[in-house]
Amino acid sequence: MMEAPLTWGQQDVWRAVVAAEPQEQYLNLARLFALQHPVTPEQARHALDRLIIRHEALRTRLTGPRATPRQALAESAAPQVEVVEGERPHRVSERLSAAPFDYWNEWPLRAAFLVADGYVRQVVLVLCPLSVDGPAADLVVRDFRVLLGRGEPPPHQADRPRDLAAWQVSGDGRGHSDEVVAWWLEQYARIDPFELTATPKRPRYMEATMSSPALAAAVRTVAARRRVASSTALLTGAVSLAGRLTGQRTCGMRVNVDNRSDRGRRDVVSTIAQEGLVVLDLGTPDFGELLARGRQAVSRADRRAEFNPYTMEEALAGRVRTFGRFDDRRPGRRDQAPELDARQIRLAMDKTDLAWTDAMDRNICDFHLRVAGEPDRMEVSLYADTGLLSPLAIEAYLLDLERLFVEESLV
């Protein structure tokens, strides 16, 4: 057994786990995919064993005291695997995701092979957030697909999690973190103070999810016209709506950055994603100009999203806060050409659905906007502290986001 410090990304997740316990299962990462060529359960298990050997993050658990845990790397692992017949795939995914991981004793992977006529037709993977982030979970699926197809993935040449952790505790790593913290402090000094208070409900944190084909088409239309990524367009719109709520001219929002732009990081299977900081001056009525500012702010944030989270937390204590967090979780290609014209986009608003999808008593984030869905229907979830936004305000924010992009697409 080999021990190493947690990466900064793992430390960030551990802070979120502690803040949400015992309801932190929402951090689990689930992936469900179908097989093009059916294999037997025995072949699938053999491929899973090879996957675990390939990626050390899949055979890593926590060790040491709860206050300062470390990661313990084993040479092999035997995770929970189910062979399931007759149960709906999404139900299996929900069941395996329903409980937090036992971080000290459970391997960081739960798997289910969904069988029909003796062959595996679909696979469910549920991964521990202390071992993989979203991009890493997608890399795991990519490699598992190749192994299930009886192929051989290319040699794994990415940095290992233990090597990243070693660099982060070195002098060079600490110096890099200090530079990033200093930049964040400069940006925080730009943010206007605000105060929003509502009467907290029970449970205190509530999530509403909007499913909208109109927003999906409108965002792609606006992004293509203004030559920005659709994720940047959505983030810019989210910050502008936050500014309307708070009355701020300069508003900040945190955004998820995968920290894989360097060649050696591209295929890292570990938890290395962290938050970037986007600060926008909203003092322009021209949404096109605001999108240009958003593109520049996102570029700056992407370069400064790797830091010691405890050092950052101490440095920002007592300062003006940002307005929540933005997280784009859409898979695959995000910026296909829009398929609806202006009239169809407006008519598609009649197909928008909005529902309450979750609630919990504790959370580390008071405003978390998550984007998911398919190219023809976007799903936007807002988890918010009801002491910050009332339930009605949560619903209104989501519908205003749709309205903002639909109206902009018609200009």
Side-chain angles (χ1 to χ4, degrees):
M1 188 77 69
M2 179 182 298
E3 291 189 18
L6 300 185
T7 65
W8 289 334
Q10 287 175 307
Q11 292 176 34
D12 256 340
V13 171
W14 182 242
R15 291 169 62 244
V17 166
V18 171
E21 281 182 325
Q23 298 174 304
E24 78 272 20
Q25 67 273 6
Y26 79 95
L27 294 167
N28 294 344
L29 294 103
R31 297 292 186 268
L32 166 63
F33 59 94
L35 303 188
Q36 294 181 347
H37 306 289
V39 300
T40 66
E42 293 75 17
Q43 290 170 328
R45 184 58 197 253
H46 178 65
L48 184 65
D49 290 340
R50 294 174 65 195
L51 181 75
I52 291 168
I53 293 300
R54 178 176 172 83
H55 296 299
E56 66 179 44
L58 303 183
R59 41 194 165 89
T60 300
R61 296 178 289 196
L62 292 190
T63 188
R66 173 184 166 84
T68 56
R70 292 167 61 82
Q71 54 182 325
L73 169 64
E75 293 184 0
S76 62
Q80 171 187 335
V81 179
E82 296 183 7
V83 178
V84 180
E85 189 168 6
E87 189 173 357
R88 292 185 178 181
H90 287 285
R91 175 58 189 145
V92 175
S93 179
E94 291 172 357
R95 177 167 55 78
L96 293 185
S97 303
F101 278 79
D102 181 348
Y103 310 107
W104 271 261
N105 299 302
E106 182 182 0
W107 296 112
L109 168 66
R110 300 167 185 162
F113 303 147
L114 281 67
V115 174
D117 300 324
Y119 290 96
V120 179
R121 308 293 179 169
Q122 293 178 296
V123 173
V124 172
L125 299 179
V126 176
L127 297 140
C128 175
L130 285 164
S131 291
V132 301
D133 52 26
D138 295 335
L139 291 169
V140 168
V141 170
R142 180 200 67 185
D143 287 352
F144 197 24
R145 281 182 179 276
V146 174
L147 290 166
L148 286 166
R150 304 179 191 178
E152 189 67 38
H156 192 236
Q157 299 176 334
D159 294 342
R160 298 176 301 184
R162 56 180 138 155
D163 298 329
L164 291 174
W167 174 80
Q168 290 169 352
V169 298
S170 71
D172 287 345
R174 292 195 301 271
H176 175 85
S177 176
D178 290 343
E179 290 177 4
V180 172
V181 169
W183 181 83
W184 275 55
L185 288 172
E186 292 175 358
Q187 297 302 303
Y188 260 70
R190 298 174 52 204
I191 300 174
D192 295 325
F194 74 94
E195 184 174 357
L196 275 179
T197 57
T199 303
K201 308 297 182 184
R202 294 289 301 274
R204 178 153 185 162
Y205 297 88
M206 300 182 67
E207 179 189 65
T209 298
M210 177 179 69
S211 178
S212 171
L215 180 61
V219 166
R220 294 205 304 275
T221 298
V222 173
R225 182 185 302 157
R226 300 296 185 175
R227 298 182 180 180
V228 300
S230 63
S231 186
T232 297
L234 279 164
L235 171 61
T236 302
V239 177
S240 69
L241 290 182
R244 291 182 192 178
L245 283 172
T246 62
Q248 295 168 287
R249 170 170 171 148
T250 304
C251 185
M253 187 171 286
R254 302 187 184 205
V255 59
N256 192 57
V257 178
D258 70 15
N259 285 325
R260 287 175 170 81
S261 58
D262 293 343
R263 183 179 299 275
R265 303 280 184 89
R266 201 162 296 163
D267 292 325
V268 171
V269 173
S270 181
T271 304
I272 66 170
Q274 290 187 260
E275 291 181 330
L277 176 63
V278 170
V279 177
L280 277 180
D281 180 350
L282 304 175
T284 175
D286 183 350
F287 194 63
E289 168 62 24
L290 196 59
L291 287 172
R293 296 180 187 180
R295 178 173 52 204
Q296 295 169 355
V298 168
S299 178
R300 291 191 294 267
D302 284 348
R303 298 193 299 271
R304 299 172 178 88
E306 192 175 13
F307 51 84
N308 184 315
Y310 293 100
T311 302
M312 182 70 79
E313 182 180 35
E314 182 179 354
L316 298 179
R319 294 181 179 270
V320 174
R321 62 181 177 175
T322 58
F323 196 88
R325 188 171 189 267
F326 174 89
D327 190 1
D328 189 344
R329 300 183 178 182
R330 289 175 294 163
R333 295 179 60 199
R334 300 178 175 183
D335 296 322
Q336 298 97 324
E339 298 175 356
L340 303 181
D341 60 27
R343 175 178 172 276
Q344 291 172 320
I345 289 174
R346 185 176 288 281
L347 291 174
M349 293 179 74
D350 292 337
K351 299 178 181 179
T352 299
D353 294 322
L354 197 151
W356 292 100
T357 46
D358 203 0
M360 61 193 303
D361 296 312
R362 303 177 62 206
N363 203 312
I364 197 171
C365 187
D366 58 11
F367 180 100
H368 190 178
L369 192 69
R370 298 195 303 272
V371 181
E374 301 300 327
D376 61 345
R377 178 176 285 272
M378 187 172 289
E379 292 185 358
V380 185
S381 299
L382 175 54
Y383 229 129
D385 181 350
T386 56
L388 178 72
L389 294 181
S390 70
L392 285 177
I394 293 172
E395 290 183 337
Y397 183 95
L398 292 171
L399 293 172
D400 285 347
L401 185 66
E402 178 189 59
R403 187 177 301 110
L404 169 68
F405 279 97
V406 169
E407 292 178 353
E408 187 65 25
S409 72
L410 302 178
V411 174

